[in-house]
């Protein structure tokens, strides 16, 4: 699985209440959550983001509450992948559960800038900054996690496995 897109860049300690403000947590509708994604930190994000774009952030991305609303909002906004120096553990797990591709790579987080064109090869973990001509190495996911992400999350993956049986 490969993705390519324009980068939206954020700093360290971006918490889930900034990714999707708590005032919008009264809905489970992914489209409604996407409409408010990042609005308290980047009011123009929803107007700029395009299907397939990539979000890059610093350390401890997704800290805060344990609700799945934050990765759902990011995925529903069209972001194909989030690359960060590190992720809050609960965000990391929730992202995989809902099928949002994420990679930890401190070098990529430091080297990639907003607006850069970046591609990701999930089979190898290679992140290529096409704008700067640089590559970074992240740890690729094992096949079963790549399968879950490709199928759209844990529940979708389990339904597909059951249908195959």
């Amino acid at each position: 699985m490969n993705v390519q897109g324009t980068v939206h860049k954020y700093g360290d300690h971006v918490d889930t209440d900034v990714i999707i403000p708590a005032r919008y947590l009264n809905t489970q509708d992914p489209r409604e959550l996407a409409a408010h994604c990042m609005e308290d930190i980047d009011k123009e994000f929803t107007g700029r983001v395009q299907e397939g774009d990539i979000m890059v952030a610093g350390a401890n991305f997704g800290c805060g509450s344990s609700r799945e609303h934050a990765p759902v909002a990011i995925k529903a906004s069209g972001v194909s992948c989030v690359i960060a120096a590190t992720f809050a553990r609960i965000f990391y797990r929730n992202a995989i559960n809902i099928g949002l591709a994420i990679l930890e790579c401190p070098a990529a987080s430091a080297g990639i800038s907003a607006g850069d064109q970046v591609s990701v090869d999930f089979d190898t973990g290679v992140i290529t900054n096409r704008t700067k001509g640089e590559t970074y190495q992240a740890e690729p996911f094992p096949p079963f996690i790549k399968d879950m992400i490709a199928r759209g999350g844990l529940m979708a993956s389990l339904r597909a496995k059951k249908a195959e049986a």
Side-chain angles (χ1 to χ4, degrees), residues 39-80:
E39 76 179 24
D40 283 356
I41 192 172
D42 182 356
K43 291 201 179 304
E44 287 145 26
F45 173 77
T46 58
R48 276 192 336 267
V49 68
Q50 299 291 313
E51 192 70 31
D53 281 356
I54 296 170
M55 190 177 283
V56 176
N60 200 27
F61 185 81
C63 57
S65 75
S66 62
R67 293 178 285 254
E68 288 184 345
H69 294 75
V72 168
I74 292 170
K75 183 178 177 183
S77 74
V79 169
S80 63

Side-chain angles (χ1 to χ4, degrees), residues 5-12 14 38 45 53-59 61 79 81-85 87 103 105-116 118 120 127 129:
T6 301
V7 169
H8 303 269
K9 178 90 183 252
Y10 301 97
D12 294 339
V14 175
M38 308 305 281
F45 173 77
D53 281 356
I54 296 170
M55 190 177 283
V56 176
F61 185 81
V79 169
C81 176
V82 180
I83 300 166
F87 290 93
L103 289 172
C105 186
S109 171
I112 296 172
S113 300
D116 287 355
V118 170
V120 178
I127 301 164
N129 185 329

Side-chain angles (χ1 to χ4, degrees), residues 15-22 24-25 32-33 36-38 69-70 73:
D15 68 63
T16 55
D17 287 333
V18 172
I19 296 169
I20 184 67
Y24 302 114
L25 297 180
E32 181 66 21
L33 293 170
H36 301 288
C37 187
M38 308 305 281
H69 294 75

